[in-house]
Amino acid sequence: MDISSYAIIFLKAMLILGYVVLSTYYLYTAGLISRDDANSINELHGWKRAIPAIILFSLIGIFAHHFFSFESEGFLIAERSFIATAAGLICGPFTGIASGLIIGGEELMMGEAGSICGALTTVIGGALGGIIYWMAGNRFPRIMAAITTALVTEFIHLALLWFFTGSAGQNFVLNYGISIICLNALTMLGFSIIYLGIIRKKPLEW
């Protein structure tokens, strides 16, 4: 893959990051994400008030799949698992898992190469994000914890591709695995800094 392809993948990832940031900003300013770190979107407002977050994150995931993915060697490079993981880290397990199920379900219906692995990873990402949110005291965790969550999710994705998609998946992991891992880490780093430092106006906790 040449430098122009890397640039396109990076640009698309940053556009997805922008959509996630804008959606999170809307949820926060609309009062659907509590300004009190001790409360989650689910605890403060009930599951019905979590529906806008689920809809927004799910739409971003579907939108990313169709318009901001990059195909190489028969596999799509997108940020679907990042979106579900971010939903869990911001809003808790219910929103993370629900968003992951919707995004993953849509991916599964498309029937593309590695879609089962990608769909499963998206659900796992939303669940992991929600678990880390809960372990952090029902709030967005420290930046390194958020990045680690994104990395673990992507490692799971690459492992599933390696073991269950044959030689094509193994070649894809060998050629793009490190780049995808670095991209996920960078995207989560950028989001964490923007969410904590700019949207919530909190001191950055590493």
Side-chain angles (χ1 to χ4, degrees):
M1 188 164 62
D2 56 26
I3 189 65
S4 62
S5 298
Y6 282 110
I8 292 172
I9 293 172
F10 177 79
L11 177 60
K12 289 184 175 184
M14 293 304 101
L15 289 172
I16 293 170
L17 172 60
Y19 281 111
V20 174
V21 167
L22 289 174
S23 298
T24 304
Y25 179 76
Y26 162 75
L27 293 170
Y28 183 72
T29 55
L32 296 174
I33 297 177
S34 174
R35 295 170 187 264
D36 178 4
D37 285 338
N39 293 293
S40 72
I41 187 171
N42 305 315
E43 292 173 332
L44 186 65
H45 298 299
W47 67 270
K48 290 183 179 179
R49 294 293 295 274
I51 291 177
I54 295 170
I55 292 174
L56 278 175
F57 287 118
S58 298
L59 286 176
I60 295 171
I62 295 171
F63 190 72
H65 183 186
H66 290 281
F67 299 103
F68 291 108
S69 58
F70 184 90
E71 184 176 357
S72 183
E73 300 186 11
F75 294 89
L76 287 180
I77 300 174
E79 290 285 287
R80 293 181 295 262
S81 61
F82 160 75
I83 295 166
T85 304
L89 291 170
I90 297 163
C91 302
F94 180 79
T95 303
I97 294 173
S99 299
L101 285 170
I102 295 172
I103 298 170
E106 191 272 341
E107 180 182 1
L108 194 61
M109 287 189 295
M110 298 301 295
E112 296 154 340
S115 59
I116 295 176
C117 299
L120 183 59
T121 303
T122 304
V123 178
I124 292 172
L128 281 178
I131 291 170
I132 298 301
Y133 173 94
W134 174 72
M135 292 176 64
N138 293 330
R139 67 187 184 95
F140 194 87
R142 293 177 179 270
I143 293 174
M144 291 307 299
I147 294 174
T148 301
T149 306
L151 290 177
V152 169
T153 301
E154 192 53 47
F155 273 119
I156 293 173
H157 184 204
L158 295 175
L160 290 172
L161 288 175
W162 181 273
F163 289 110
F164 296 107
T165 58
S167 59
Q170 292 173 3
N171 289 333
F172 177 82
V173 172
L174 290 173
N175 292 331
Y176 302 107
I178 294 177
S179 300
I180 293 173
I181 289 170
C182 292
L183 181 64
N184 270 25
L186 181 63
T187 306
M188 185 58 77
L189 171 64
F191 175 76
S192 300
I193 292 174
I194 294 171
Y195 177 61
L196 293 173
I198 298 177
I199 296 179
R200 296 192 68 94
K201 295 181 173 60
K202 298 286 187 180
L204 297 181
E205 297 180 340
W206 294 90

